[in-house]
Amino acid sequence: MKKFALYGVIALPDSFATHLLYIFLANAAWYIGFYISMKKTPAESREGNRDCLLFDFYDDHDVWHMLSACGLFFTFMILLTLDDDIDDRKPRDEIPVF
């Protein structure tokens, strides 16, 4: 894979972004194929289930997904509203950046 990326830099300097996109797509297809081939049967999946933790329906893994989704949402909301106070009040060339 590294040699293929290096080939794109040397041989295709004008369309390297497209070449890099092909590498990412090939990598995604490889992992999707791996995931599908390693998928467990329903019987094996049921053996890994745990007792319900929340509302007599969700186990700890489901609760983890819900809490992480809330955490990601609020992280992005903080980033979205971080500079709201300087949106209309300050000219862009006076905003300090580092």
Side-chain angles (χ1 to χ4, degrees), residues 27-71:
N27 192 24
W30 179 268
Y31 277 108
I32 289 171
F34 176 75
Y35 176 76
I36 290 172
S37 68
M38 298 302 290
K39 191 82 173 137
K40 296 188 182 308
T41 64
E44 288 176 333
S45 179
R46 275 191 296 275
E47 288 176 11
N49 288 347
R50 296 185 182 165
D51 292 336
C52 295
L53 179 69
L54 184 65
F55 303 126
D56 226 10
F57 186 76
Y58 299 110
D59 66 355
D60 57 351
H61 188 80
D62 298 325
V63 172
W64 167 257
H65 278 286
M66 288 185 263
L67 291 175
S68 65
C70 290

